[in-house]
Coordinates of all heavy atoms in Angstrom, one line a residue:
T890 N 82.4 168.9 68.0 CA 83.6 168.0 67.9 C 84.8 168.7 68.4 O 85.1 169.9 68.2 CB 83.7 167.2 66.6 OG1 83.8 168.2 65.7 CG2 82.4 166.4 66.3
I895 N 85.5 170.7 73.4 CA 86.3 171.0 74.6 C 85.8 172.4 75.1 O 85.6 172.6 76.3 CB 87.7 171.0 74.3 CG1 88.2 169.6 74.1 CG2 88.5 171.6 75.5 CD1 89.6 169.4 73.6
L896 N 85.7 173.4 74.3 CA 85.2 174.8 74.7 C 83.8 174.7 75.2 O 83.5 175.3 76.2 CB 85.4 175.7 73.5 CG 84.9 177.1 73.7 CD1 86.0 177.7 74.7 CD2 85.0 177.9 72.4
T919 N 120.5 148.6 89.6 CA 121.3 147.8 90.5 C 122.7 147.8 89.9 O 122.9 147.6 88.8 CB 120.7 146.3 90.5 OG1 119.4 146.3 91.0 CG2 121.7 145.5 91.5
N925 N 131.1 154.3 91.0 CA 130.2 155.4 91.5 C 129.5 156.0 90.4 O 130.2 156.5 89.5 CB 130.9 156.4 92.5 CG 131.5 155.7 93.7 OD1 130.9 154.9 94.3 ND2 132.7 156.1 94.1
T941 N 110.4 154.3 74.8 CA 111.6 154.7 75.6 C 111.2 155.6 76.8 O 110.2 156.2 76.8 CB 112.6 155.5 74.6 OG1 111.9 156.5 74.0 CG2 113.1 154.5 73.5
T946 N 114.0 161.9 88.0 CA 114.7 162.2 89.3 C 116.1 161.8 89.1 O 116.5 161.0 88.3 CB 114.0 161.5 90.4 OG1 114.0 160.0 90.2 CG2 112.6 162.0 90.6
F961 N 110.8 157.5 86.2 CA 110.9 157.5 84.9 C 109.6 158.0 84.1 O 108.6 157.7 84.7 CB 111.4 156.2 84.2 CG 113.0 155.9 84.3 CD1 113.5 155.6 85.7 CD2 113.7 156.0 83.3 CE1 114.9 155.3 85.7 CE2 115.1 155.8 83.4 CZ 115.7 155.4 84.6
A972 N 103.5 150.3 80.1 CA 104.4 149.2 80.3 C 104.0 148.4 81.6 O 103.8 149.0 82.6 CB 105.8 149.4 80.2
T976 N 109.0 145.1 82.9 CA 109.3 145.1 81.5 C 110.2 146.1 80.9 O 110.6 146.0 79.8 CB 107.9 145.2 80.7 OG1 107.2 146.3 81.0 CG2 107.0 144.0 81.0
L979 N 115.9 147.3 79.7 CA 116.9 147.5 78.7 C 117.4 149.0 78.9 O 116.6 149.9 79.0 CB 116.4 147.4 77.3 CG 115.8 146.0 76.9 CD1 115.3 146.0 75.5 CD2 116.9 144.9 77.0
A994 N 104.1 149.5 87.4 CA 103.7 149.6 86.0 C 103.7 151.1 85.5 O 103.5 151.9 86.3 CB 102.2 149.1 85.8
E1004 N 83.0 161.3 72.5 CA 82.0 160.6 73.3 C 82.0 160.6 74.7 O 81.1 160.7 75.4 CB 81.7 159.2 72.6 CG 80.4 158.6 73.0 CD 79.2 159.6 72.6 OE1 79.2 160.2 71.6 OE2 78.4 159.6 73.6
P1019 N 69.0 167.5 94.0 CA 69.3 167.4 95.5 C 69.2 165.9 96.0 O 69.4 165.6 97.1 CB 68.2 168.1 96.1 CG 67.1 168.2 95.0 CD 67.8 168.2 93.7
D1024 N 73.6 159.7 87.8 CA 74.6 160.5 86.9 C 75.7 161.3 87.8 O 76.8 161.4 87.4 CB 73.9 161.5 86.0 CG 73.3 160.8 84.9 OD1 73.6 159.6 84.6 OD2 72.4 161.5 84.3
R1039 N 84.8 154.4 82.6 CA 83.3 154.0 82.7 C 82.9 153.8 84.2 O 83.7 153.4 85.0 CB 83.0 152.7 81.9 CG 83.4 152.8 80.5 CD 83.1 151.4 79.8 NE 83.7 150.3 80.2 CZ 85.0 149.9 80.0 NH1 85.7 150.7 79.4 NH2 85.5 148.8 80.5
G1049 N 69.4 152.8 101.5 CA 70.0 154.1 101.3 C 71.5 154.0 100.9 O 72.2 154.8 101.3
Y1054 N 80.4 151.0 90.4 CA 81.4 150.0 89.8 C 82.1 150.9 88.7 O 81.6 151.6 87.9 CB 80.7 148.9 89.1 CG 79.9 148.1 90.1 CD1 78.5 148.3 90.3 CD2 80.4 147.0 90.7 CE1 77.8 147.6 91.3 CE2 79.8 146.3 91.8 CZ 78.4 146.6 91.9 OH 77.7 145.8 92.8

Side-chain angles (χ1 to χ4, degrees):
T890 59
I895 292 170
L896 183 63
T919 304
N925 296 322
T941 58
T946 58
F961 278 73
T976 59
L979 304 171
E1004 191 51 42
D1024 282 347
R1039 296 181 307 280
Y1054 300 92

